[in-house]
Amino acid sequence: MIRSNDHPTSSEVAFEADLTLKRLKPRLDSLWDSALAANEIDSLGRIEFEERLNEYWRPLFALLKELYSGRYDFFYHLEQILFTIALAWIGRPEELRCLDRQRINHPDWFQSQRIVGGALYVDLFSENLGQLRKCIPYLQELGITYLHLMPLFAVRPGDSDGGYAISNYRSVDPRLGTIEDLKELASDLRAAGICLVLDFVFNHTSDDHEWARAAQSGDRELQSYYYIFPDRKTPDEYERTLREIFPTVRRGNFTWHDGMGQWVWTTFNSFQWDLNYSNPAVFRAMLDEMLFIANTGVDVLRLDAIAFIWKQMGTTCENLPLAHTLVQAYNLCARVATPGLLFKSEAIVHPDEVVRYIDPHECQISYNPTLMALLWESLATRKTDLLVQSLKHRHKLPAHTAWVNYLRCHDDIGWTFDDRDAAAIGINGYEHRQFLNAFYTGQFPGSFAHGVPFQHNVHTGDMRISGTLASLAGLEQAIERDDETLKELAVRRMLLLQGLTLSIGGIPLLYMGEEWAVLNDYDFVKDPAKAGDTRWVHRAKMDWEFLQELKDRLEVGGSIRGRVFRALQKLIALRKSLPALAEQDMELIGARNSHVLAFVRQYMGHRLIVVANFSEVPQSMSGNILRTSGFGRFFKDEIAGETLGTSESLTLEPYQLMWLSRA
Ligand code: GLC
Ligand code: GLC
């Protein structure tokens, strides 16, 4: 069990916390009395809650005090926060409370090698939630045990940034179903051994959320939920130190609202209004939404755009210390109200900043954007030096936390590696990013990739890349050229990268469609609500006809899709059977060949060596290296099923990946 005393609280604050709780206790007791009388919970439930509250109250109080003690209405909101937490536990379905109990005793459940993730849009995959329940056997067949559904709550009409402009966190987009459907799906998934991941889109609401509408009609209380300014003075002061996230949508970070005749802070699209967390009422209101979502049966919340939630004049308003304080406070609320719940950080920022969100007391898991970007970098350069340089000091995480390793997601690829890591091996970061952008948009001579620019900033030259795994790995070009050799290489590139995210340590996450080598879909430009956002090129609709291709023979010339599906399915099953792939422990091995990446994975005495060739020509690695890494005379490649000897050097075919164990 992970204990709260990892949060140091000074004795002065501890005293204040205890006194505050003592003062609030009578009101909390009457809440319990009525819940018990109404049979909403039993006395065991009350005892469990009180134990957790006693354990976590002091650190929670300390964090909230740090955030809000300067506010005239701090104690009012503190009381509201406490009641919100208690009511969420009282309203938590018994099935989820049972799971909470198990997870309190097994806090590392998500570190198992049996966890394999998939992410999908409900509408594009199965039309709606009801249909998705019928697709569970398909997910099981592939081996998925962690399912991230892209935002499915009610959204504004027209462009909703793929669901990230939420107008009501308590109702499902009617095109997808209802809250009841969501609960039923969650429960079916649980029965099938699949955990459910949903977004907590807490940096902003849609401009048609009821709070934003009240603000628009002049309600001052609700205006204080957002950042709203009468003129350009303050926005201009902020702008001096801000980045532009969507420069092709609008210059700057503020949007003029005609109705109010005021400026609104909008980091992303102009219809996504940033919430003002310096107001404790916002903390409390979003806590309520968060716990509501958790109680529908969600196992993991993806904390969307986490880097942006705290703002302070004169800073970049990204990754600020109080952003961490805020998330830690939410984490403690969850420990008391919904203890089985995990947080996943979505911080697509500099690697030094990404890790700061990862902590058992903050976000237990996090996207690994640096690994993602550097796997693509190695594929373009055929060299693993930068990847190795970065992995050397960036893979290790605190105990009870894990990376989420992915290749593509619904968003673009940004080249978020560290310039110092690049400089250490003689690479100029700025120029290298220009190269990678040229490579992945197919501009660089000899490139195999068909990517599309995203948010090209003409002022800074900055650009990100859209495109599916298959199109970026060369399959689209190979098909266009009708070239069997190129097709073969593209398939190998895809499987190489997948095999690495499945084995490097952490939770692998597929972006559904990858299992069918889905290509870019350029038709998005026909839809005016999508045309301006190239990320739609890699958000394709699932084609269930593909399943037919599994029946095809797998000989050369057979279906590429069928082959990729089977190969991925096999890799997933293999991962699950290899205990060495649990948790995070990963040690690099010097392969003495810069085209090769090699590392050891171990867990509880199990050992596996992973070796990968990033080039399209065969490479070798000395057998000696394997001997010194603990192999005797023979070892087995779990992927090819072959036994090999350490007396000779190891030969890797183009883009070959090996998972080696002692024979
Ligand atoms: C996150 C999402 C992205 C969205 C943005 C604004 O980064 O992944 O798709 O555009 O937040 O919500
Ligand atoms: C930026 C943001 C990230 C967001 C993405 C959307 O990279 O940091 O949060 O998902 O833009 O493109």
Side-chain angles (χ1 to χ4, degrees), residues 161 164 204 246 268 272 302 304-305 346 410-411 535 539:
D161 189 19
Y164 284 98
H204 43 262
F246 284 171
F268 295 91
Q272 288 163 304
R302 173 190 182 276
D304 180 61
E346 192 251 342
H410 68 289
D411 280 334
R535 290 175 296 173
R539 297 173 180 174

Short mmCIF file of all heavy atoms in Angstrom, two decimals, residues 161 164 204 246 268 272 302 304-305 346 410-411 535 539, ligand 1:
data_model
loop_
_atom_site.label_atom_id
_atom_site.label_comp_id
_atom_site.label_asym_id
_atom_site.label_seq_id
_atom_site.Cartn_x
_atom_site.Cartn_y
_atom_site.Cartn_z
N ASP A 161 -13.32 19.69 -31.63
CA ASP A 161 -11.96 19.22 -31.42
C ASP A 161 -11.95 17.72 -31.07
O ASP A 161 -11.33 17.30 -30.10
CB ASP A 161 -11.27 20.04 -30.31
CG ASP A 161 -9.77 19.73 -30.22
OD1 ASP A 161 -9.21 19.19 -31.19
OD2 ASP A 161 -9.17 20.03 -29.18
N TYR A 164 -13.06 17.10 -27.54
CA TYR A 164 -12.36 17.79 -26.45
C TYR A 164 -12.97 19.16 -26.11
O TYR A 164 -12.38 19.91 -25.33
CB TYR A 164 -10.86 17.91 -26.75
CG TYR A 164 -10.13 16.62 -26.52
CD1 TYR A 164 -9.84 15.77 -27.58
CD2 TYR A 164 -9.78 16.22 -25.24
CE1 TYR A 164 -9.19 14.55 -27.36
CE2 TYR A 164 -9.13 15.02 -25.01
CZ TYR A 164 -8.83 14.19 -26.08
OH TYR A 164 -8.19 12.99 -25.85
N HIS A 204 -10.21 23.00 -19.92
CA HIS A 204 -11.16 23.91 -20.56
C HIS A 204 -12.51 23.24 -20.72
O HIS A 204 -12.60 22.01 -20.72
CB HIS A 204 -10.66 24.33 -21.94
CG HIS A 204 -10.08 23.17 -22.72
ND1 HIS A 204 -8.73 22.92 -22.79
CD2 HIS A 204 -10.67 22.16 -23.42
CE1 HIS A 204 -8.51 21.83 -23.52
NE2 HIS A 204 -9.67 21.34 -23.90
N PHE A 246 -2.05 26.34 -31.16
CA PHE A 246 -2.73 26.14 -32.44
C PHE A 246 -2.59 27.41 -33.30
O PHE A 246 -3.60 28.09 -33.57
CB PHE A 246 -4.21 25.81 -32.22
CG PHE A 246 -4.50 24.40 -31.75
CD1 PHE A 246 -5.78 24.05 -31.33
CD2 PHE A 246 -3.52 23.41 -31.74
CE1 PHE A 246 -6.08 22.76 -30.91
CE2 PHE A 246 -3.80 22.11 -31.32
CZ PHE A 246 -5.08 21.79 -30.90
N PHE A 268 -6.32 26.44 -26.75
CA PHE A 268 -6.45 25.56 -27.91
C PHE A 268 -7.37 26.24 -28.93
O PHE A 268 -7.07 27.33 -29.37
CB PHE A 268 -6.92 24.17 -27.46
CG PHE A 268 -5.88 23.48 -26.60
CD1 PHE A 268 -5.89 23.61 -25.21
CD2 PHE A 268 -4.86 22.74 -27.17
CE1 PHE A 268 -4.91 23.01 -24.43
CE2 PHE A 268 -3.88 22.15 -26.39
CZ PHE A 268 -3.91 22.28 -25.02
N GLN A 272 -12.73 26.59 -27.00
CA GLN A 272 -12.36 25.87 -25.77
C GLN A 272 -11.86 26.89 -24.76
O GLN A 272 -10.76 27.43 -24.89
CB GLN A 272 -11.28 24.81 -26.09
CG GLN A 272 -11.85 23.63 -26.86
CD GLN A 272 -10.78 22.79 -27.54
OE1 GLN A 272 -9.97 23.28 -28.33
NE2 GLN A 272 -10.77 21.49 -27.25
N ARG A 302 -7.48 10.05 -17.99
CA ARG A 302 -6.39 10.69 -18.74
C ARG A 302 -6.51 12.19 -18.53
O ARG A 302 -7.51 12.81 -18.93
CB ARG A 302 -6.54 10.34 -20.22
CG ARG A 302 -5.59 11.07 -21.16
CD ARG A 302 -6.03 10.79 -22.59
NE ARG A 302 -5.19 11.39 -23.61
CZ ARG A 302 -5.29 12.64 -24.05
NH1 ARG A 302 -6.18 13.48 -23.52
NH2 ARG A 302 -4.52 13.08 -25.01
N ASP A 304 -6.14 15.45 -19.46
CA ASP A 304 -5.89 16.11 -20.74
C ASP A 304 -5.25 17.48 -20.55
O ASP A 304 -5.67 18.25 -19.69
CB ASP A 304 -7.25 16.26 -21.45
CG ASP A 304 -7.11 16.94 -22.80
OD1 ASP A 304 -6.42 16.39 -23.66
OD2 ASP A 304 -7.68 18.04 -22.97
N ALA A 305 -4.26 17.77 -21.38
CA ALA A 305 -3.63 19.09 -21.42
C ALA A 305 -3.19 19.56 -20.03
O ALA A 305 -3.29 20.74 -19.68
CB ALA A 305 -4.59 20.11 -22.05
N GLU A 346 -1.19 13.56 -19.53
CA GLU A 346 -0.98 13.87 -20.95
C GLU A 346 -0.20 15.17 -21.01
O GLU A 346 -0.76 16.25 -21.19
CB GLU A 346 -2.31 14.00 -21.71
CG GLU A 346 -2.12 14.03 -23.22
CD GLU A 346 -2.38 15.37 -23.91
OE1 GLU A 346 -3.03 16.25 -23.32
OE2 GLU A 346 -1.91 15.56 -25.05
N HIS A 410 -4.30 9.92 -31.37
CA HIS A 410 -5.19 10.77 -32.17
C HIS A 410 -4.52 12.12 -32.48
O HIS A 410 -5.01 12.85 -33.31
CB HIS A 410 -6.49 10.98 -31.42
CG HIS A 410 -6.30 11.80 -30.18
ND1 HIS A 410 -5.63 11.30 -29.07
CD2 HIS A 410 -6.61 13.07 -29.90
CE1 HIS A 410 -5.57 12.25 -28.16
NE2 HIS A 410 -6.16 13.34 -28.63
N ASP A 411 -3.44 12.45 -31.77
CA ASP A 411 -2.77 13.73 -31.98
C ASP A 411 -1.58 13.59 -32.93
O ASP A 411 -1.22 12.50 -33.35
CB ASP A 411 -2.32 14.32 -30.64
CG ASP A 411 -3.46 15.00 -29.90
OD1 ASP A 411 -4.42 15.46 -30.56
OD2 ASP A 411 -3.39 15.07 -28.66
N ARG A 535 -5.04 16.47 -38.15
CA ARG A 535 -5.01 15.27 -37.33
C ARG A 535 -6.09 14.27 -37.76
O ARG A 535 -5.98 13.08 -37.49
CB ARG A 535 -5.18 15.62 -35.84
CG ARG A 535 -3.97 16.33 -35.26
CD ARG A 535 -4.22 16.77 -33.84
NE ARG A 535 -5.30 17.76 -33.78
CZ ARG A 535 -5.83 18.22 -32.64
NH1 ARG A 535 -5.38 17.76 -31.48
NH2 ARG A 535 -6.80 19.12 -32.66
N ARG A 539 -7.38 9.71 -38.28
CA ARG A 539 -8.50 9.27 -37.44
C ARG A 539 -9.53 8.58 -38.34
O ARG A 539 -10.60 9.12 -38.62
CB ARG A 539 -9.12 10.48 -36.73
CG ARG A 539 -8.14 11.17 -35.78
CD ARG A 539 -8.72 12.45 -35.22
NE ARG A 539 -7.78 13.10 -34.30
CZ ARG A 539 -8.00 14.31 -33.77
NH1 ARG A 539 -9.10 14.98 -34.07
NH2 ARG A 539 -7.12 14.83 -32.95
C1 GLC B 1 -5.22 17.30 -25.74
C2 GLC B 1 -5.82 16.38 -26.77
C3 GLC B 1 -5.93 17.09 -28.07
C4 GLC B 1 -6.76 18.32 -27.88
C5 GLC B 1 -6.20 19.19 -26.75
C6 GLC B 1 -7.22 20.17 -26.31
O1 GLC B 1 -3.91 17.56 -25.94
O2 GLC B 1 -5.05 15.22 -26.89
O3 GLC B 1 -6.52 16.26 -29.03
O4 GLC B 1 -6.75 19.06 -29.06
O5 GLC B 1 -5.92 18.46 -25.61
O6 GLC B 1 -8.20 19.52 -25.53
#
